[in-house]
Amino acid sequence: SSSSSSSFSPEGQDPVEQLIAAMGWRVTAAYNGPEVTSVVVSSDDINGATFVVTAKASGSSISSGSSGTNSSSKRAKDDTASIPPHFRAARLDEFFGSHKGRQGFSVLCFQTAAGGVEGIRQLYLKQYPKQLLHDEVQVFGEGTDQLRMVEAYAYRLPDLSGPDHGTVIRYVERSGNYRARLPGLESVPATAGKFATACYSDHWVSNVVDRKDFLNIMHDIVGFNPKVDFNAGVVGAGEAVIESTVTGNTTQPTHDKEAAVVSQSQIYLPTNNALSMFGHVHLFLQELGQGIQHIASRVVDLVSFIHHANAFRDITGQGFTFLNIPRSYYGRLSKRSLEQDGGASPELADAVFSALQQTPQQAVRENLPELVSLTGIVKLDITEAEIVAAVHAALPAASPLRAEFDSKQAALVHTVKMGRYNNMYKLLRNHLSEASYLQVVRNQVLVDIQGQDVLYQIFTSNIMQRHKGEEAPFFEFIQRVCSELKDECGRPLPIRPGCGGFGIRNFLTLFLSIEVTKAMNLLKTAQEAQDAAGIEYAEKMIEAFSQQLEESNPILTGISDAMTAEADALHRADTAATPDAKAAALKEAEQQRQLKLQGQEQLMVTGTKYKALMAKLREERGTA
């Protein structure tokens, strides 16, 4: 069967099948126990990201609370005595109990250096003893071939009285020739698919009630420090407002591009909390509780991965769909651009814009191609011939405006075609060819740039979602294209960990795109029900979110530029040869920090404006 992105339903999908279909991955290890079954899904790159998917064993009636004195009960106890604690049904029960019965990412695993696990255990005992699942280090294996493990609950309850029994952080330390991903897993022979995509862990995003408490725990236990911070009110999509901080460890830059792609040494943990009773983060916390919102992994070629994932889904009906990104994110045609970039007079700009904006009804009635939407969205495969024909049909041959158009045809046609991705072009300029820009737009890839580093991002629709409309986690896939600049001696500059950043400009885009996707689902439902008022309401929501995105884009770009310049100045201060050079660098860093704060204030003003607009729409709809 075939399933395009418009007909594919993300709810009720098997995440193992999705990873196999979309990524070309295979089951590479398994555990079949009396209480649970687990499979490891990964590519054939041993250093790549790995997912362990666990469910209760089919037909199992054994639970952690079973008791009895008869012989069958005794045999059950004997059978379960050797079960590793991470493969006990009680673990799943505990997670589901704290996650309101919903599926999700229950464990994050960090590997430490020799002696790291015991040190981490000591820090938990001293500062957060209630977070530990076990008082002692768990040791598996024999002789010098061992795996040592400490597990701790990631978050605390809102009143800080104890642990949230949902998400667990697992710290492991290997020695000798211990190779198993986890104790109890047995390898499964597997050959990766033809188009298998290896990916590498980049960052894991949490939605929590108390963001600062989680940040403090990670600082106190593993020394993580904030890298990016969006304070109150900065990030908002309509009435949905959140705070977010990216925390992580500090590693050294490298000159090896290949090593930068596959390195797992840099760990980032973006963390969100809601500030309003609207939007994805609030609903996630309300429906699921605290937990992992999404997991982000790096790939070598994001556009190729998306192309293969989309093609395989359309052919087989399996895999992923991706979030709807408003076309206005990439670009849109406006009368202003026709004037400023195309050189048109105001009168000609108005005439060209009107000539290209055939409504669907007009296009059918007059047999004209629909070239530009009423909001300025340009058809992706638009041609020069279509543009010229539409304008010539609207302007009399002997008119002054026709003569002006013909004299400026090349520039105006170029401006119209640039409308497909002119926002992207402002960021990337000639980094990409026209064909590459169109691939980015067609595959709905998000793009950001910090300095000379480029970041490509895409987000899947929800995974592990049982029913339509429910909140659920998702995946993010990224590609970091690091700068190839050289110093004054011609030597390549070192590649900074996390080059390209976290899509600061796209941070709001993700937030908005989630809301746009929900509005599009409302629109589809209203259209199917022939609900005229519902259609109008959904269309107004989509337009408001798109307008907020367009208005916020230049502000976000300014914030991103200031953050990059601040980081560069601080680096120069750290490596300054003289006190004067250090003072000058610190002064510049402070100036850039102030510019960043000013940008965040501007973003708050914009967010407040659209928050009021969305509230008005909701009141008019009668759903307040």
Side-chain angles (χ1 to χ4, degrees):
S1 64
S2 72
S3 178
S4 68
S5 60
S6 60
S7 62
F8 181 89
S9 297
E11 64 272 7
Q13 299 287 334
D14 181 336
V16 175
E17 290 183 356
Q18 287 184 284
L19 288 166
I20 290 172
M23 308 295 294
W25 288 10
R26 296 294 182 262
V27 172
T28 55
Y31 170 81
N32 293 298
E35 295 187 9
V36 306
T37 60
S38 293
V39 295
V40 175
V41 194
S42 64
S43 70
D44 56 1
D45 188 337
I46 193 172
N47 296 313
T50 298
F51 294 92
V52 181
V53 184
T54 301
K56 282 192 175 181
S58 177
S60 171
S61 61
I62 300 173
S63 72
S64 58
S66 62
S67 61
T69 57
N70 59 37
S71 59
S72 61
S73 176
K74 183 178 186 300
R75 284 196 302 272
K77 288 182 179 180
D78 291 341
D79 290 343
T80 61
S82 61
I83 297 176
H86 45 275
F87 287 139
R88 301 302 299 249
R91 282 290 189 87
L92 289 180
D93 292 336
E94 190 174 53
F95 175 79
F96 287 131
S98 296
H99 222 51
K100 304 188 180 178
R102 298 283 186 85
Q103 304 172 102
F105 298 114
S106 63
V107 179
L108 301 176
C109 185
F110 298 135
Q111 182 162 303
T112 75
V117 162
E118 175 59 23
I120 287 170
R121 184 184 77 89
Q122 292 290 344
L123 288 171
Y124 272 110
L125 283 173
K126 182 178 180 181
Q127 300 181 69
Y128 306 99
K130 292 181 180 180
Q131 299 300 111
L132 285 172
L133 274 73
H134 309 278
D135 288 338
E136 300 297 328
V137 172
Q138 300 172 77
V139 181
F140 305 91
E142 298 178 353
T144 59
D145 301 332
Q146 292 186 342
L147 182 141
R148 300 168 64 80
M149 180 189 301
V150 161
E151 295 178 303
Y153 296 109
Y155 320 118
R156 292 202 285 182
L157 295 172
D159 63 3
L160 308 184
S161 60
D164 179 314
H165 289 161
T167 306
V168 167
I169 298 181
R170 176 179 294 147
Y171 304 92
V172 300
E173 172 190 331
R174 287 180 169 82
S175 62
N177 293 315
Y178 196 96
R179 292 291 178 262
R181 296 283 188 180
L182 279 175
L185 288 171
E186 295 184 3
S187 296
V188 173
T191 302
K194 181 178 179 181
F195 297 108
T197 301
C199 65
Y200 307 91
S201 296
D202 194 90
H203 56 276
W204 302 327
V205 183
S206 296
N207 288 340
V208 300
V209 174
D210 190 332
R211 177 176 110 269
K212 292 184 178 178
D213 184 62
F214 179 59
L215 297 176
N216 287 338
I217 291 174
M218 296 311 294
H219 172 76
D220 295 340
I221 300 301
V222 289
F224 283 15
N225 288 304
K227 308 296 180 181
V228 179
D229 197 13
F230 277 127
N231 293 319
V234 173
V235 180
E239 295 179 276
V241 186
I242 69 169
E243 293 177 306
S244 186
T245 298
V246 179
T247 192
N249 62 331
T250 300
T251 58
Q252 295 302 311
T254 178
H255 286 87
D256 188 334
K257 286 181 63 176
E258 292 185 4
V261 172
V262 305
S263 174
Q264 308 287 282
S265 61
Q266 179 65 66
I267 302 167
Y268 294 113
L269 299 178
T271 309
N272 309 320
N273 64 263
L275 290 176
S276 72
M277 296 180 66
F278 301 92
H280 163 72
V281 175
H282 166 74
L283 290 174
F284 186 102
L285 291 168
Q286 184 180 57
E287 292 185 22
L288 286 82
Q290 301 184 107
I292 303 300
Q293 178 206 59
H294 74 269
I295 286 180
S297 303
R298 294 189 303 276
V299 299
V300 175
D301 185 342
L302 185 63
V303 171
S304 292
F305 157 63
I306 298 166
H307 174 75
H308 290 308
N310 284 333
F312 197 88
R313 182 198 61 245
D314 291 345
I315 294 170
T316 68
Q318 297 178 318
F320 296 134
T321 50
F322 301 96
L323 282 185
N324 291 303
I325 306 300
R327 274 287 306 278
S328 57
Y329 167 83
Y330 302 99
R332 64 194 302 171
L333 183 65
S334 66
K335 295 177 184 178
R336 180 182 298 177
S337 62
L338 288 169
E339 292 178 37
Q340 294 181 348
D341 303 327
S345 64
E347 295 77 15
L348 180 60
D350 186 65
V352 170
F353 201 63
S354 298
L356 296 173
Q357 284 189 311
Q358 303 297 332
T359 66
Q361 293 80 9
Q362 288 175 312
V364 172
R365 186 175 64 249
E366 302 175 26
N367 195 30
L368 293 171
E370 187 182 7
L371 303 179
V372 178
S373 76
L374 296 177
T375 57
I377 303 303
V378 181
K379 188 178 77 164
L380 274 182
D381 59 354
I382 194 169
T383 66
E384 179 173 356
E386 289 175 326
I387 296 167
V388 173
V391 176
H392 280 183
L395 300 178
S399 67
L401 288 181
R402 173 73 168 269
E404 183 187 354
F405 174 78
D406 288 345
S407 68
K408 299 173 179 176
Q409 178 177 312
L412 287 168
V413 167
H414 177 72
T415 300
V416 172
K417 296 179 79 172
M418 285 290 292
R420 298 171 293 179
Y421 53 82
N422 51 18
N423 284 342
M424 288 290 92
Y425 188 80
K426 291 173 186 175
L427 278 178
L428 300 177
R429 298 295 176 181
N430 294 321
H431 276 72
L432 300 179
S433 65
E434 179 184 10
S436 294
Y437 272 117
L438 293 179
Q439 275 192 309
V440 165
V441 179
R442 188 169 283 111
N443 289 295
Q444 294 192 302
V445 178
L446 298 171
V447 183
D448 200 7
I449 186 168
Q450 286 193 355
Q452 296 296 315
D453 299 327
V454 179
L455 177 72
Y456 296 105
Q457 298 172 282
I458 198 165
F459 303 90
T460 69
S461 298
N462 288 339
I463 60 169
M464 295 184 284
Q465 182 186 42
R466 290 197 181 100
H467 306 291
K468 186 176 182 179
E470 292 181 345
E471 290 295 331
F474 52 92
F475 286 124
E476 174 186 359
F477 296 98
I478 67 173
Q479 178 186 350
R480 298 188 183 277
V481 182
C482 303
S483 167
E484 296 184 1
L485 290 179
K486 295 179 172 57
D487 62 19
E488 61 276 7
C489 299
R491 296 170 298 196
L493 291 173
I495 299 169
R496 290 182 297 189
C499 79
F502 295 91
I504 301 306
R505 204 177 68 87
N506 293 333
F507 197 92
L508 180 61
T509 303
L510 166 63
F511 205 36
L512 282 165
S513 66
I514 291 173
E515 302 307 319
V516 167
T517 298
K518 291 179 180 178
M520 286 181 170
N521 289 335
L522 283 177
L523 178 60
K524 183 178 179 181
T525 301
Q527 288 172 334
E528 291 171 350
Q530 296 184 335
D531 176 4
I535 291 171
E536 182 182 9
Y537 174 63
E539 287 178 338
K540 285 183 177 179
M541 287 180 67
I542 293 168
E543 180 61 17
F545 288 132
S546 298
Q547 287 177 350
Q548 183 180 355
L549 179 59
E550 184 174 0
E551 194 171 323
S552 301
N553 266 337
I555 302 173
L556 287 160
T557 299
I559 293 172
S560 177
D561 290 345
M563 290 178 64
T564 302
E566 180 187 12
D568 289 343
L570 290 172
H571 177 71
R572 290 198 302 274
D574 290 339
T575 58
T578 67
D580 287 346
K582 181 174 183 177
L586 289 173
K587 181 178 180 181
E588 182 182 348
E590 178 59 24
Q591 290 173 343
Q592 295 298 330
R593 189 180 76 86
Q594 291 301 321
L595 288 174
K596 177 182 69 176
L597 294 176
Q598 290 172 21
Q600 291 189 358
E601 290 174 2
Q602 287 180 285
L603 209 56
M604 289 177 65
V605 171
T606 301
T608 300
K609 169 184 170 182
Y610 284 95
K611 178 180 179 181
L613 176 59
M614 291 304 299
K616 182 179 178 182
L617 287 176
R618 195 165 44 79
E619 290 167 3
E620 290 174 350
R621 173 70 170 160
T623 58

